[in-house]
Amino acid sequence: MAEKKEKRMDCLTLAFTIALLPPIWAVVSPYLGVSVGSVALICAGLYVAAGNDVKKAVPISIGFLCGDLWAVIVLAVQEALNFQPDAELYGILFVMGGLTVIAGSVLARWIYLPAWLCGWAIGLTVMGPVGIDAIGTLPIQIGAAMLAGIWYVGATGALFQKLLLNFLKKKR
């Protein structure tokens, strides 16, 4: 019975935390110059899936930022090659995908490979349609949203929920 009550309390405090914190980011991010605030939710999801462990937040952050940079490099190389779009896209993704896995494996202590791959996909999804010539500050905005997802929505959200649970337990 106590276990069921504890699970319900975990669920309700998590629901409150998710209802409270991410919408604040959604409202504030455009005022901070971040037009891609929803990227934070994707990154928070990966952070939670990776165990919601603040000890992993730095390698996850580095992984996402590497992915963001990787997307810019892909777009720049693709623009520079400019011969056959499908062939060049395949070749670039083939080479860079392989390099990502090798580098991410060698540097696993500092870079969380799934975040690198996910960050790369996010960057290509957001910046790909815009093109390298018009991306402007998008890589910086994406990076800021990635970090907000890990540190604000993920790590701060977990801390807030823990504090809320402790407060409610003391009230009983």
Side-chain angles (χ1 to χ4, degrees), residues 87-154:
E88 69 188 31
L89 179 62
Y90 178 81
I92 294 166
L93 295 179
F94 178 91
V95 170
M96 292 185 75
L99 289 174
T100 302
V101 173
I102 292 167
S105 297
V106 171
L107 302 171
R109 181 176 176 185
W110 301 282
I111 302 172
Y112 187 64
L113 178 59
W116 190 345
L117 294 169
C118 186
W120 186 20
I122 291 166
L124 287 177
T125 299
V126 174
M127 294 183 281
V130 176
I132 193 72
D133 294 334
I135 63 171
T137 63
L138 271 176
I140 295 166
Q141 293 180 51
I142 292 167
M146 289 171 166
L147 295 176
I150 298 159
W151 292 99
Y152 171 67
V153 177

Side-chain angles (χ1 to χ4, degrees), residues 17-18 21-22 40 43-48 51-58 60-61 146-163:
T17 301
I18 297 299
L21 297 181
C43 297
L46 184 82
Y47 173 79
V48 171
N52 207 14
D53 181 1
V54 75
K55 293 175 191 159
K56 294 180 183 177
V58 170
I60 292 171
S61 298
M146 289 171 166
L147 295 176
I150 298 159
W151 292 99
Y152 171 67
V153 177
T156 302
L159 176 63
F160 178 80
Q161 182 192 14
K162 183 178 179 180
L163 293 172

